[in-house]
Amino acid sequence: MNCELIKVLAIDDEPLALRQLVTYIGKIPFLELVGQCQSAVEAHKLLNEEVVDAIFCDINMPDLNGMDFVKSLAAPPLIVFTTAYSEYAVEGFKVDAVDYLLKPFGLQDFQRAANRIRTRLQNGNSTARDAVSDCDLSSNASTPMSQDSDTIFIKTDYRVVKVAISDIRYVEGMSEYLKLHLDGQPKPIVTLLSMKKMEDFLPSTFMRIHRSYIVNLTKIQEVNKNRVIMDAETYLPIGDNYKEQFNQFLATRFLGK
């Protein structure tokens, strides 16, 4: 880690506690606040847009608590947990938290946690920022980028990950986000990207069968009425606007009477 500012995110559902975190971050000269969130759901969205080196995160939050939020990240940045409940300390260190601040904590305790973050980074902890700069990515890092015909790069959480196109089973659209369901991975990759952009980028082995689904045609196991069956648990609908194109594809490969 060089002399650049350490980019941090503050998360706490209590406005006063969040304000205190923001104030303390502002008092540490080597920290740069890139965002403040009052929920883990909000933080997920921010991590798709910002590169973060460390997170100061409350544990007791509605919908998704801080511990489960960190566990949901494939490769979380450095974490400092903040909470009023000491019983979370052991679990916090199980997820390799840098520090654990028990509320109410003062500036001196916060400074200690900040110093530990800086020490970890100086001792060689890689960050998403390092990965992005090493790849020399453009500012629009949500856009798939191909080094060759077999791979794409996708921005997810705060990272940029390389994905083999052949591993993509299907793409699911949800509002302004996409879920990439991959072979051998129980959790999909979530990225801020439009279906149109992904559809235009993928090769001809992929086809859009619904306004919310693009499928890898080589991964289809069965077609049953107006559904594509990818496996025993995954049934995808075929939309009326896409039925003709999909039936034409089937006709070119259909054997039988």
Side-chain angles (χ1 to χ4, degrees), residues 61-77:
M61 294 188 292
D63 298 327
L64 181 65
N65 70 44
M67 195 70 66
D68 290 338
F69 162 68
V70 171
K71 291 178 180 178
S72 74
L73 301 177

Side-chain angles (χ1 to χ4, degrees), residues 4-243:
E4 291 181 8
L5 293 176
I6 298 171
K7 296 180 180 292
V8 299
L9 170 64
I11 311 172
D12 201 305
D13 66 308
E14 299 177 4
L16 290 178
L18 183 59
R19 189 181 309 166
Q20 182 191 50
L21 274 176
V22 171
T23 299
Y24 284 170
I25 289 170
K27 292 180 180 293
I28 309 299
F30 55 82
L31 296 185
E32 177 185 356
L33 180 69
V34 297
Q36 49 183 299
C37 302
Q38 288 189 257
S39 72
V41 175
E42 185 182 347
H44 261 301
K45 293 180 180 179
L46 188 143
L47 287 172
N48 274 308
E49 302 169 359
E50 297 286 348
V51 175
V52 173
D53 298 307
I55 299 177
F56 291 89
C57 184
D58 185 29
I59 293 180
N60 277 15
M61 294 188 292
D63 298 327
L64 181 65
N65 70 44
M67 195 70 66
D68 290 338
F69 162 68
V70 171
K71 291 178 180 178
S72 74
L73 301 177
L78 299 180
I79 303 294
V80 173
F81 284 118
T82 65
T83 183
Y85 301 91
S86 59
E87 61 266 27
Y88 286 112
V90 173
E91 189 176 357
F93 286 112
K94 283 182 180 179
V95 297
D96 196 28
V98 175
D99 207 342
Y100 179 96
L101 296 176
L102 187 62
K103 299 177 181 178
F105 55 86
L107 180 58
Q108 184 175 357
D109 293 325
F110 186 87
Q111 174 80 63
R112 179 198 69 214
N115 287 338
R116 287 181 175 178
I117 290 173
R118 182 168 61 175
T119 298
R120 281 275 195 105
L121 293 175
Q122 288 174 338
N123 287 343
N125 274 66
S126 62
T127 66
R129 185 177 356 151
D130 297 331
V132 171
S133 62
D134 287 347
C135 293
D136 192 25
L137 303 180
S138 69
S139 58
N140 188 17
S142 292
T143 304
M145 293 166 291
S146 179
Q147 281 190 329
D148 52 57
S149 60
D150 301 322
T151 61
I152 55 176
F153 284 91
I154 296 291
K155 183 177 179 183
T156 179
D157 292 333
Y158 60 94
R159 317 172 286 140
V160 176
V161 297
K162 184 178 181 180
V163 175
I165 291 177
S166 61
D167 286 344
I168 301 174
R169 299 176 63 241
Y170 64 97
V171 179
E172 178 182 1
M174 48 175 197
S175 186
E176 68 269 36
Y177 290 89
L178 297 182
K179 286 183 178 180
L180 274 67
H181 298 263
L182 308 178
D183 282 337
Q185 292 196 24
K187 291 183 179 181
I189 292 176
V190 180
T191 187
L192 181 64
L193 194 65
S194 71
M195 285 287 282
K196 176 62 175 172
K197 185 168 289 188
M198 180 61 77
E199 183 182 11
D200 290 344
F201 187 87
L202 289 172
S204 59
T205 50
F206 289 79
M207 181 179 292
R208 191 166 183 175
I209 62 167
H210 187 274
R211 64 185 181 88
S212 299
Y213 295 103
I214 300 171
V215 298
N216 186 336
L217 298 169
T218 68
K219 306 288 185 181
I220 295 174
Q221 293 189 1
E222 186 178 333
V223 180
N224 189 331
K225 296 182 179 179
N226 291 325
R227 299 183 301 178
V228 166
I229 301 174
M230 306 300 290
D231 56 50
E233 299 178 350
T234 308
Y235 295 70
L236 306 180
I238 303 172
D240 291 339
N241 293 336
Y242 304 91
K243 196 174 299 182

